Amino acid sequence: MSTKDYVEKDYYKVLGVPKDATAAEIKKTYRKLAREFHPDANKGDAKAEERFKDISEAYDVLSDEKRRKEYDEARSLFGTGGFRSGGPNGGAYNFDFGDLFSGSQTGGGSGGLGDVFGGLFNRGGRQPQPRRGADVETEVTLSFVEAVDGATVPLRMTSQAPCRTCAGTGAKSGTTPRVCPTCVGAGTVSRGQGAFALSEPCRDCKGRGMLVDDPCTVCHGSGRASSARTMQVRIPAGVQDGQRIRLKGKGAQGERGGQPGDLYVSVHVDDHPVFGRKADNLTVTVPVTFPEAALGGTIEVPTLNGPSVKLKLPPGSANGLTLRARGKGATRKDGTRGDLLVTVEVVVPKHVTGDALSALEQYREATASDDPRAALFQAAEGA
Ligand SMILES: [Zn+2]
Ligand SMILES: [Zn+2]
């Protein structure tokens, strides 16, 4: 027996008794119907059997004074007449179960209070509306190589879903939450008078509008359950640090046939000890000697995922010159690849000895007349 049953089933109608029927009238009617539809008297008649079940269920509730009262309360609030916009004493109370319970609905799934009541309070009508699942945010950290090549990574997602055992009501199975008498289901109470009245969450029901006497043993009355799922997600090649990827339809499940939400993945990319990244291009800094820079030559350069490449260093290459190895960069969306940008860095030896020292001293004498700062001073004076 659930609140949903209470809202959906008209037990008075099942028994064919008026709403103000006395206990004796109900008993009398039930006995008559039970005899008529009893399976022993209707062998093989599935319809009669179904009817007998309905009659018994209705009688179970209506014959129990306490449960009948709960049933009447639930139906007057949620059921037959739809939502009453005015309070019992004309004081306005508004409650929107969509708002109250939307916090417990982010995880998708079905069967929560939002499901049961959500549709009833839509002013336009009582048909439950499909609701799109929530968008979900998550993060992933990729290695540099994974980001360049693309990778399939497991994403563990936790979300709040209605507790399956109690269908989100928080009540132990076989019991039903009852309307909070303090706020009459509103979830809020007014304090103060007139224009100074303050509306605050009801303390007795913590703003839920319902009280649970026997809490569900699984969720301890919260009505919510943490659900975890692991999803394999394909991160496309060429993703960059700080980028946010949208995976359509991979968010929370929709409700009542609504579309699923989207999953947004914020990507962090680890640094690589050697390679850097500029859009589709990879970058690398390669040390060269002074003679290599001055005389030119061929330098061997590592690539990220393949064999090294040989690049021609022109004679007279300045420190910081950038060469380009075509097609050795990051993979683009269309499958083509960017370039590897190779920046040369002339290394200066810390200690020079022996033949190298004498050769350098010879070089200095040979170039003594070249003043590398002459142009600098000319420009400085001319300005
Ligand atoms: Zn309350
Ligand atoms: Zn539960």
Side-chain angles (χ1 to χ4, degrees):
M1 199 73 54
S2 70
T3 310
K4 192 175 163 72
D5 287 335
Y6 276 13
V7 173
E8 287 185 346
K9 295 182 179 171
D10 190 340
Y11 294 142
Y12 293 103
K13 207 168 161 190
V14 168
L15 293 182
V17 294
K19 288 197 173 49
D20 56 3
T22 64
E25 282 174 308
I26 288 170
K27 195 170 183 178
K28 200 175 146 205
T29 312
Y30 164 70
R31 284 191 168 165
K32 185 176 155 282
L33 291 171
R35 269 198 303 273
E36 189 181 337
F37 292 99
H38 197 279
D40 287 350
N42 300 275
K43 282 211 165 34
D45 185 348
K47 263 194 179 155
E49 194 182 322
E50 192 59 36
R51 181 90 170 91
F52 183 75
K53 266 194 215 159
D54 290 343
I55 293 162
S56 306
E57 187 186 327
Y59 183 67
D60 274 350
V61 173
L62 297 186
S63 62
D64 180 328
E65 202 182 318
K66 188 172 161 249
R67 290 176 72 188
R68 183 179 175 186
K69 197 160 164 268
E70 280 175 0
Y71 173 72
D72 288 343
E73 273 177 357
R75 280 182 71 81
S76 71
L77 271 167
F78 310 127
T80 53
F83 173 57
R84 292 185 301 173
S85 61
N89 304 314
Y93 68 86
N94 293 301
F95 64 96
D96 178 346
F97 271 90
D99 284 351
L100 270 177
F101 293 102
S102 59
S104 66
Q105 297 294 309
T106 51
S110 60
L113 272 177
D115 274 332
V116 178
F117 300 127
L120 295 178
F121 299 107
N122 291 333
R123 299 230 158 87
R126 291 175 52 186
Q127 277 305 304
Q129 298 293 311
R131 189 156 77 185
R132 184 180 174 274
D135 292 337
V136 177
E137 294 267 351
T138 189
E139 292 182 314
V140 69
T141 299
L142 300 180
S143 75
F144 188 88
V145 176
E146 286 174 328
V148 168
D149 293 343
T152 300
V153 292
L155 284 183
R156 192 179 151 81
M157 320 269 303
T158 48
S159 53
Q160 291 285 305
C163 170
R164 283 189 185 193
T165 307
C166 61
T169 64
K172 194 171 171 180
S173 71
T175 72
T176 318
R178 63 187 165 93
V179 174
C180 171
T182 311
C183 61
V184 210
T188 56
V189 289
S190 290
R191 226 165 36 117
Q193 300 239 311
F196 300 102
L198 290 171
S199 177
E200 59 180 25
C202 173
R203 282 182 205 174
D204 290 340
C205 63
K206 298 190 176 63
R208 295 190 70 180
M210 305 289 279
L211 288 178
V212 171
D213 296 318
D214 295 310
C216 165
T217 48
V218 174
C219 64
H220 306 291
S222 72
R224 274 169 287 175
S226 230
S227 72
R229 57 192 167 127
T230 302
M231 248 187 342
Q232 298 293 324
V233 169
R234 178 71 197 164
I235 306 287
V239 71
Q240 306 217 36
D241 187 44
Q243 208 170 318
R244 200 157 158 264
I245 298 175
R246 174 169 170 250
L247 296 160
K248 202 170 171 336
K250 299 286 186 188
Q253 299 287 306
E255 286 169 43
R256 299 182 288 275
Q259 298 281 315
D262 297 334
L263 172 64
Y264 289 90
V265 185
S266 293
V267 180
H268 306 285
V269 180
D270 284 340
D271 286 338
H272 191 280
V274 168
F275 295 97
R277 181 85 184 271
K278 259 186 190 170
D280 299 332
N281 298 325
L282 295 177
T283 61
V284 65
T285 297
V286 176
V288 297
T289 65
F290 174 72
E292 279 176 329
L295 305 175
T298 301
I299 55 169
E300 193 174 2
V301 174
T303 65
L304 185 63
N305 266 335
S308 60
V309 288
K310 290 198 163 85
L311 290 181
K312 223 168 168 56
L313 186 68
S317 288
N319 185 47
L321 176 82
T322 297
L323 307 170
R324 189 179 283 263
R326 296 211 178 269
K328 302 294 179 190
T331 311
R332 296 190 186 100
K333 269 193 194 137
D334 63 3
T336 63
R337 303 190 71 168
D339 301 333
L340 176 62
L341 304 178
V342 181
T343 301
V344 298
E345 184 182 61
V346 178
V347 289
V348 178
K350 278 219 165 82
H351 305 285
V352 187
T353 51
D355 287 351
L357 178 62
S358 46
L360 264 183
E361 282 171 345
Q362 236 179 311
Y363 176 77
R364 180 171 60 191
E365 272 165 44
T367 57
S369 59
D370 300 340
D371 182 358
R373 289 170 290 276
L376 177 74
F377 279 91
Q378 253 172 25
E381 282 159 20

